[in-house]
Structures are given as structure tokens and as C-alpha cells.
Amino acid sequence: MANMRTMSFDAVIVGGGGSGMRAALQLSQSGYKTAVITKVFPTRSHTVSAQGGITCAIASDDPNDQWQWHMYDTIKGSDYIGDQEAIEYMCQTGPEAIFELEHMGLPFSRTEEGRIYQRPFGGQSKDFGNGGQAARTCAAADRTGHALLHTLYQGNLKSETTFLNEWYAVDIVKNEDNAVVGVVAIDIETGETVYVKSKATVFATGGAGRIYASTTNAHICTGDGVGMALRAGFPVQDIEMWQFHPTGIHGAGTLVTEGCRGEGGYLINKDGERFMERYAPNVKDLAGRDVVARSMVLEILEGRGCGPDGDHVYLKLDHLGEETLNAKLPGILELSRTFAHADPVVEPIPVVPTCHYMMGGIPTNVDGQALTIDKEGNDQVIEGFYACGEAACVSVHGANRLGGNSLLDLVVFGRASGIFIEKQLREGINLKEAREADIELAMTGLNRINNSADGEQASVLRAELQTIMQNYFGVFRRGDFMQQGIEKLNALRPRIENVALDDKSNAFNTARIEALELQNLFATAEATAIAAEGRTESRGAHAREDFQERDDENWLCHSVYFPDSKTIGKRGVNFNLKTREAFEPKIRTY
Amino acid sequence: MLNVSIYRYNPEVDAEPYMQDYQVDTQGKDVMVLDVLEKLKTEDPSLSFRRSCREGVCGSDGLNISGKNGLACITPLSSAVKGNKLVIRPLPGLPVIRDLVIDMSQFYAQYEKIQPYMINNSPAPAIERLQSPEERAKLDGLYECILCACCSTACPSFWWNPDKFIGPSGLLQAYRFLADSRDTATEERLANLDDPFSVFRCHGIMNCVQVCPKGLNPTKAIGHIRSMLIRSAT
């Protein structure tokens, strides 16, 4: 590849969503030469679909609110495998990060006092679970992600970040010391392949909800960062932990915000019963998402589902009145009318638990540095490599993410990664140059696809993969089923590696991109399957019929999936709070 | 079977663009136009188009659908098919890269020209800048823009002067910052727009309003900017 062009930056951020653009903003504001590689124009990233808000103790709704209460809720919500040091950092730093966004122009909804409007979300409490429901989710109507993403893009335009829009990162380039020194990327418009060299490479590639057949995630959520990290031999953590959002629109999969229930909406079964009263007597429809999703599936399995096939339940909003719905949930009215053909002002929305969020990802420390685990079981920093947002597992969500915490995670840790890399760049980063052979190695996967001679279509293989994941690794899981699922994945692997690319043209060839994305979907799915089969307990979003109890003795820990051996290891949960004693695991009820 | 006619052009293969006809079995369902495109792509992977969120918030799949600009993912067949025929073309007025994918650089350049970010050089408070619900309500109908370009590429004034006329989308965003009680650069913003082309090429044709998939009204925003420009001139 002697004639391949090289571009060189201080920092390269892969992914132009919320976390990537927050990291980029930090670095370009400090004058470092920063590039964002993004496969879609930045405001088309999946952050745009976040609706309900960003949870943070800014003490607007309740002047006495405390970030420590938010920390408690998040740790409990994580079913105690969220790292407490990271959660403490997120909840404590959060208000500063939110106010920065507001100063940048984010059009938050407002209270009569002129402060940022906050609404109640699931799993929120005051006084460490003793003071009743809190309203802690800062909102811009029900378009918070859109408002946040556009504000961050605008901020980056102001600070003159370099955007490589509609570029697709193919694989990581490692030097002879196994440090990350950039990526190989394709300019989608021209098809040119470029080595994008960097002193710091940040993966902010988002989630991979498209491994499931039914997902709230955009088409672009294909686990590109996880796939690249695994191919480079780096581990991923807690990848079995997938959140199924209680309210995806039945059939379409599009998200209906938890903010609907925060504003007073509730779920009903075919008898019109508000069934969450049985499963979570205290907070009802505002229990953790894992709890609500499982309750819904049980209602459906026990024959109380709605519709001709009894395969969904209803979300009732009409009692809130048209005025409130127009003011607080205008986007939901639009989505429901378009995709469910139901007008929430007069009728309920058909909803079903739908794959929504990847709690696991590339393990990192609080500074965004990506980690691997050495033979003695100690954390090792991977030089030059960072991750933040949904692609990372820092881990603030543990086994179950609370609503509104994903936007906070991506802002706080995008910012933290930027701040840390700034410091490192100031002190000097000296990594060995990649050799010709190192770059050649990163081209392997792309070369294989470019040279494909036969094989099956990406769309067919993708659909098969999604069906396997949906059927064998869904809301409820069972060992023998999962083993069957893993066998099916094994059979699918060579077919996916041999995917067809009939059209080898260069200009905006989306077939090539989809073939590459398929490899990342498969890598993420395989890691999910093996980790899910390996964790022999039920915790948070991981619910096993054959191991129904949480097993703190054996599994109060992270799972770590190693791609070379395709095995699972364990990594300790961080219980080191700086400001108080750790929160000990308790039975989790709502 | 639904008859679908799609604009095709691959610069490496085709001397010129052409319309390709397909037949699609929609099983009588009123699916979205994007669903039809996805189905066709499984049969003909060489067909290129942009898409992402598939729920009308990311703005990727603005297309000219049976003669009207709109988002493929939220346009049901029932509102787009005429005489059992669906015609899909790229958004008009901008260069085509391939098939349904257009080069949006001119559109984005106009957006960047209006300084689409908050300017407020007074020291930031320790908390948020306060804004009353009434002040915040002035941003409704403005901030929701998804930059899909359906409006600007439906605008004859933008077709003639894509390099000089900001276009409805950019002007909607210009007004979004002019209308924000927290922004202090009103004079500077107006000065940047005060020439014969940036704003005044709008002739009130209102194609933008007719096609906006988010129900926004750029013409109204442009009217507000005009008034502000005229007021500041007197």
C-alpha cells in the first residue's frame, strides 16, 4: 500500500454522535488538531433519536436535590456491577457539563423560574430511595437528543474541528508495541482508502442494536467500534448486558420515551389493568427498565397481551389531555400517528419491549483510556486508544441503564476523555510509527471483501443474524437455548466472512459499507452470545430462566470477553468512592 | 405489484442518468417509501441512498418522491403512489454523487454562513442562563430543523443562487439564534445578512413550507428577519 495517502492529527475521534463531538469539542477548543471520522453527517448520528432527556442533579425541580441521590439510584439501577468510582464522577461532574451545554445554546424546556425543566424518569428517588420519586431528567420537550446533538455540532463548527463526514473507519492500526496509532478509513464519496494517523484515537462509535431483529436503534448502529476492537484483539466487557426498552412501537420498533410514563402515562394489558401495580407496587410504571420490560413479557406470555395476536401491551396517555401532550410530548404524538396509526390524544399506543441499548462495550477507566486485562488479571492501559459513550463500558450502567443516563454518560465521558487527552498531548505522546506491515494488516478485512468472488448478499445474512439473536438472546434467556444459538452463529460465521460484494465501484458504494458493517454486527453478536451463555445468574437486563437469582458470590463482577480465545474472564467491580463509603449490594426492588 | 421508477446514476459506469423500473410486492401494505427502497436494495445492492434513523429525526433520506420533496422513512405509500406508480428521484437542484445521493456541500455551506451557534460573550453564570417559558417558546418551530434539505432544494430562489441565497433552512436557523433571548449578537447577525441575496432572494413562493417534513415554516421566519433588517436600517 505504498501509494496510500496518510492524514495526520493530534486526535482522531471515530464517531460523530454526542460523545464523539463532546470529546472533539474539548480538544479543538484547546487548539489541538482534531478530526472526527463519521460515517454519516454528524447530526444524523443516533444521539439525535434520544427523546426524554438527560438525567442530572441540577436542583431545578427540587432545590434540595443532591447528586449523591442520583449516584445511589444509578448504582442500584446497575444491579451493583456499575463501577462506583465512575458513577460518582458522572453524577458529581454532571451539572457542570449540563450548564456548559446550556451556555452553548441547547434549547432546554424551562420552568416558571426560568430554569431548566426536569421530569421524572424510572428508577429515580430522593434521599437514597427513602424520599419518594424524584424529577431529575433535564429535557428539551421530547427532542433532547436532537437538541443536544445539533448544539454540539454547532459548537464544533465554532471551534473549527475537522470533520471527515461520510468517512467509514475500517480497522485499527497498531504499531509494533501493540499501541493504537490511528485507523484505516474509507472516504465513502470517492472510495479512497486513507491511513488516518493519530496520537490519540477515540472510539465513540455508539451501539449495535442492529444485532437484533427488533430494535429502536438506527440502521447505522452496527457496533463498528466493538467490531474493530475485537479484530484488533482487544477485549469487551459486560457485552451480554442489552437493554430492552419497554416501549418500542409494536411492529415498527421506533422508540416511545420513558418520559411518557414520567409525565403520568401508564401501561395496561388487554383487560385494561394497570399491571405494573402488581410487579412494582411502590413506583409502578417507573421501575427500572429491565423490571418493566420483563413484566410486560410475562403479561404477554400469560395471555394478557393486546391485539389480535396478544403480542403487545398498551401505553395509555389520553388521560393527560391534549394540551399537556402537545407541550411535553409533541414528538411522540407525531411518531405514534405515523408508525402506530394511533393518536395518543384519544387512544393508547401499542408497545412491546425492544432492543435499545448496549450497556457493555470497550472497558475504559474514568479518563476514557481503553483497557485490556493481563495474564495476572490486572488492568492494562492500551496506549493511544480511548473510548466513550455507548461504545465504551466505563462502567456507569452495569447490568441496567437508567433512563436519561445515556446522554449524561456521553457528555461527561466525552468531555473527560478530551480533558485527559489534552493533558497527555501537552505532556507529549510518543508512540512508534506504524510500519508498512502494520497498516497492511489493518487492510485485511477490507481487502477480503473487495476481492470477494462469490458468497451471499449482506442483507440476507444480516437478517439471519438478527433472527438468531432475537430468538436465542432476548429478554429471557436459557442455557440450552443459548447453546443452540451459539451453534447457529458458528454456522453463520464463514458465510458472513464470505459475504458477496458484486458491485466493486468506488463512488458512494453503500453495499461495500454494509458488507463491512455486517462483520462488526457479527463480532458484537458473537461476543454477546458467548458472554450471555457464560454468566450463570440473573442480574439487571440479563434474565436467565435456568439461573433465576442474582449470584453475588460468583458474579458480582464484570464479564470480560477475549476475542482470540473466545472465552470469558472476570474483572472486579470498582467500589472505591472518593466522597463516602461504598454502596453495598442490596436486593433490588421498586 | 407496485411499479417503482428510480433515478439511477453511477459516475463510474453510466454516461448519463436514467430511470430504472422495478416491480415491488408490498403485499398491499401501506409501508413507508424507505421500506420499499430497503426491499429493493436487498435485490439490487448497487442501489445507493442515505438512511439512518428511519423515524424522521435524522434527516438523511430527503428525496423527491412522486414529485414532492419529503423523507422516505415517514412518507407512506398511500400519500406518494399515483396510479400504482411511485417515482423516486434525488432532491433537485444539487449535484448528484450517485443514484439518490446528492452532494450537499452548498447546502451545508449556507448553514455555516449564518454562524449557527450561540454567541454570548458575557461571563457565563455558575448555573444555566435563565430563560422564561415565554422566551423559550419563541424557539419552537425553529430549533426542530433536521437539516434534511427538503425545503432549500424545493426553492427556486435556491436553485438559481445556491451560492448566494442562504435558503429557507439556513434562514430558519438564522432566525432561531436571532430569536433566542440568550444570544447577544443580533446586530452582527443582521449585518451579515444585509445584502441583496442572503435573505431578499426569497420571493415568498412557500414551497419550503409545503414540503417541510417537520411542519416548520421557514417563510414566516424569513419574514421576521426581513422586518428586523428593515427596522435596523431605519
Side-chain angles (χ1 to χ4, degrees):
Chain A
M1 298 310 291
N3 54 1
M4 188 158 81
R5 186 157 67 104
T6 299
M7 291 168 83
S8 193
F9 296 93
D10 291 322
V12 164
I13 287 95
V14 184
S19 69
M21 287 211 287
R22 186 62 190 83
L25 181 71
Q26 196 68 35
L27 287 157
S28 57
Q29 277 177 342
S30 321
Y32 288 107
K33 198 180 167 199
T34 307
V36 174
I37 295 176
T38 171
K39 64 179 177 177
V40 293
F41 183 78
T43 63
R44 324 226 184 271
S45 306
H46 188 52
T47 304
V48 82
S49 291
Q51 298 171 351
I54 177 164
T55 304
C56 188
I58 60 160
S60 163
D61 181 78
D62 172 4
N64 298 315
D65 198 15
Q66 294 184 16
W67 65 263
Q68 289 89 345
W69 300 345
H70 180 201
M71 169 169 68
Y72 165 82
D73 292 341
T74 303
I75 291 168
K76 177 184 171 186
S78 80
D79 221 346
Y80 298 95
I81 62 163
D83 285 319
Q84 299 200 5
E85 181 194 21
I87 294 170
E88 179 182 49
Y89 178 82
M90 177 176 81
C91 298
Q92 188 173 18
T93 319
E96 204 180 324
I98 300 285
F99 296 141
E100 282 169 3
L101 289 170
E102 195 282 332
H103 298 154
M104 284 168 60
L106 202 160
F108 282 111
S109 303
R110 298 287 169 158
T111 65
E112 284 306 318
E113 293 75 36
R115 294 210 59 192
I116 293 170
Y117 170 73
Q118 294 183 292
R119 60 163 54 109
F121 250 53
Q124 290 177 1
S125 75
K126 299 181 183 186
D127 194 18
F128 307 105
N130 301 314
Q133 176 74 40
R136 195 174 286 131
T137 300
C138 308
D142 55 0
R143 305 187 179 99
T144 316
H146 169 278
L148 184 146
L149 190 66
H150 281 251
T151 301
L152 282 173
Y153 179 59
Q154 294 161 354
N156 275 284
L157 286 178
K158 194 177 181 183
S159 61
E160 299 184 349
T161 302
T162 301
F163 280 100
L164 300 176
N165 290 335
E166 297 184 325
W167 281 50
Y168 182 78
V170 174
D171 261 311
I172 291 172
V173 177
K174 295 192 291 184
N175 69 10
E176 59 193 284
D177 299 329
N178 220 28
V180 173
V181 287
V183 291
V184 165
I186 302 177
D187 175 352
I188 300 175
E189 183 179 333
T190 63
E192 185 190 6
T193 307
V194 176
Y195 168 37
V196 186
K197 178 178 150 183
S198 180
K199 294 175 190 165
T201 304
V202 184
F203 272 21
T205 48
R210 288 275 157 180
I211 66 170
Y212 287 94
S214 171
T215 176
T216 64
N217 284 195
H219 286 288
I220 56 170
C221 299
T222 53
D224 297 331
V226 167
M228 283 188 275
L230 290 171
R231 277 195 299 281
F234 301 136
V236 292
Q237 175 171 286
D238 295 337
I239 197 72
E240 69 277 23
M241 297 300 181
W242 283 88
Q243 177 163 82
F244 287 79
H245 195 291
T247 54
I249 291 179
H250 175 249
T254 41
L255 172 68
V256 175
T257 176
E258 183 169 317
C260 290
R261 285 170 283 137
E263 298 289 349
Y266 55 85
L267 298 164
I268 53 175
N269 61 21
K270 74 169 185 189
D271 305 320
E273 183 205 7
R274 185 176 183 180
F275 58 86
M276 281 312 298
E277 288 177 336
R278 275 187 277 119
Y279 297 94
N282 295 318
V283 297
K284 306 180 182 77
D285 296 81
L286 289 179
R289 286 181 177 172
D290 55 334
V291 176
V292 180
R294 275 194 294 277
S295 308
M296 291 166 71
V297 173
L298 287 173
E299 287 299 299
I300 292 166
L301 291 176
E302 288 168 13
R304 292 187 294 278
C306 306
D309 299 323
D311 58 353
H312 56 274
V313 300
Y314 283 132
L315 173 64
K316 183 173 149 56
L317 295 175
D318 58 301
H319 58 285
L320 300 178
E322 190 165 3
E323 198 179 328
T324 304
L325 292 175
N326 278 327
K328 302 284 173 58
L329 302 166
I332 294 306
L333 298 184
E334 233 179 275
L335 280 173
S336 178
R337 288 165 185 157
T338 306
F339 289 103
H341 305 292
D343 182 357
V345 173
V346 292
E347 59 195 318
I349 311 173
V351 291
V352 70
T354 305
C355 173
H356 184 55
Y357 189 84
M358 177 176 86
M359 266 80 72
I362 299 163
T364 71
N365 60 25
V366 172
D367 294 319
Q369 291 182 289
L371 305 171
T372 186
I373 317 297
D374 69 14
K375 289 201 179 69
E376 284 75 46
N378 300 313
D379 291 356
Q380 291 292 334
V381 165
I382 303 168
E383 296 298 331
F385 193 32
Y386 309 79
C388 54
E390 190 170 344
C393 183
V394 51
S395 145
V396 287
H397 310 304
N400 171 63
R401 175 171 73 74
L402 291 187
N405 267 354
S406 61
L407 292 185
L408 188 65
D409 169 14
L410 62 83
V411 172
V412 166
F413 291 103
R415 182 177 178 272
S417 306
I419 292 171
F420 183 74
I421 293 167
E422 229 178 293
K423 177 169 157 279
Q424 285 195 312
L425 285 167
R426 222 171 22 243
E427 291 166 358
I429 296 177
N430 284 306
L431 299 172
K432 283 187 193 138
E433 297 274 321
R435 298 162 301 183
E436 195 87 337
D438 298 326
I439 302 170
E440 194 62 44
L441 189 64
M443 293 287 294
T444 315
L446 177 61
N447 288 338
R448 193 177 60 222
I449 281 170
N450 281 341
N451 294 327
S452 87
D454 48 12
E456 296 161 84
Q457 295 301 334
S459 56
V460 174
L461 296 166
R462 186 173 58 217
E464 268 191 51
L465 175 66
Q466 291 167 335
T467 305
I468 295 171
M469 294 309 290
Q470 192 77 30
N471 291 346
Y472 295 92
F473 303 93
V475 174
F476 285 103
R477 298 165 172 183
R478 209 173 82 194
D480 51 349
F481 274 175
M482 288 195 282
Q483 278 154 16
Q484 287 174 32
I486 290 170
E487 278 169 33
K488 286 183 185 289
L489 289 176
N490 285 337
L492 192 56
R493 187 186 307 106
R495 296 169 55 203
I496 283 184
E497 284 173 353
N498 192 39
V499 60
L501 182 66
D502 298 332
D503 173 11
K504 306 274 200 298
S505 63
N506 290 310
F508 225 101
N509 186 342
T510 53
R512 175 178 289 122
I513 302 302
E514 289 189 20
L516 292 165
E517 287 173 333
L518 179 62
Q519 310 303 318
N520 296 325
L521 284 170
F522 184 82
T524 312
E526 183 179 42
T528 298
I530 292 171
E533 199 270 337
R535 187 183 278 273
T536 48
E537 65 157 355
S538 289
R539 181 185 300 272
H542 179 65
R544 288 188 62 150
E545 290 168 38
D546 47 351
F547 295 92
Q548 295 189 3
E549 301 299 318
R550 191 173 84 188
D551 177 3
D552 285 347
E553 202 172 309
N554 294 301
W555 286 104
L556 185 63
C557 62
H558 300 295
S559 73
V560 182
Y561 170 80
F562 298 97
D564 293 338
S565 58
K566 296 188 198 289
T567 53
I568 296 296
K570 294 180 179 181
R571 177 169 174 252
V573 172
N574 181 306
F575 285 95
N576 303 320
L577 290 178
K578 290 198 169 75
T579 57
R580 55 164 290 148
E581 283 176 17
F583 293 95
E584 293 301 324
K586 288 193 296 195
I587 297 297
R588 188 165 154 260
T589 56
Y590 284 102
Chain B
M1 296 291 266
L2 175 68
N3 296 316
V4 186
S5 180
I6 300 185
Y7 179 101
R8 299 299 309 268
Y9 175 64
N10 181 342
E12 289 165 63
V13 183
D14 306 318
E16 52 188 40
Y18 61 96
M19 297 302 289
Q20 184 168 355
D21 293 329
Y22 298 91
Q23 288 211 315
V24 181
D25 183 6
T26 59
Q27 297 169 330
K29 288 185 192 159
D30 188 18
V31 297
M32 301 294 171
V33 171
L34 180 62
D35 297 323
V36 171
L37 285 172
E38 289 286 351
K39 193 168 193 308
L40 285 174
K41 192 165 174 68
T42 65
E43 290 157 24
D44 178 359
S46 74
L47 174 64
S48 283
F49 52 91
R50 295 184 173 107
R51 87 282 181 269
S52 177
C53 75
R54 60 81 165 89
E55 58 190 26
V57 294
C58 80
S60 297
D61 61 352
L63 294 170
N64 185 272
I65 303 162
S66 296
K68 189 181 171 189
N69 291 358
L71 299 177
C73 59
I74 53 169
T75 302
L77 291 182
S78 55
S79 74
V81 172
K82 290 165 193 162
N84 198 39
K85 188 164 185 186
L86 176 68
V87 182
I88 307 176
R89 294 170 178 272
L91 290 176
L94 291 175
V96 172
I97 296 172
R98 171 177 177 160
D99 297 342
L100 302 173
V101 178
I102 52 167
D103 178 353
M104 297 175 76
S105 338
Q106 283 180 314
F107 172 79
Y108 295 136
Q110 294 298 351
Y111 174 68
E112 288 177 31
K113 231 191 247 178
I114 63 103
Q115 297 183 287
Y117 37 77
M118 175 74 61
I119 301 175
N120 184 329
N121 293 325
S122 67
I127 60 166
E128 67 270 44
R129 293 183 203 278
L130 300 184
Q131 185 175 49
S132 72
E134 294 71 31
E135 287 168 334
R136 169 60 183 76
K138 290 185 180 154
L139 307 183
D140 286 334
L142 306 173
Y143 82 96
E144 301 93 324
C145 174
I146 58 173
L147 301 179
C148 64
C150 285
C151 61
S152 292
T153 61
C155 173
S157 298
F158 188 75
W159 296 337
W160 301 138
N161 294 293
D163 53 337
K164 296 196 202 106
F165 174 50
I166 301 286
S169 171
L171 289 171
L172 187 79
Q173 289 316 292
Y175 187 62
R176 176 249 173 276
F177 288 98
L178 285 166
D180 196 319
S181 61
R182 302 168 294 171
D183 190 276
T184 56
T186 304
E187 277 179 40
E188 182 189 334
R189 291 182 187 282
L190 289 175
N192 286 342
L193 294 170
D194 197 4
D195 61 68
F197 281 92
S198 296
V199 178
F200 290 102
R201 281 289 119 174
C202 168
H203 298 305
I205 299 166
M206 294 183 75
N207 281 1
C208 53
V209 182
Q210 206 205 345
V211 299
C212 177
K214 305 309 286 181
L216 310 178
N217 189 333
T219 306
K220 194 170 150 196
I222 294 168
H224 287 305
I225 300 175
R226 278 172 189 270
S227 311
M228 290 176 91
L229 281 168
I230 291 162
R231 260 205 312 276
S232 71
T234 53

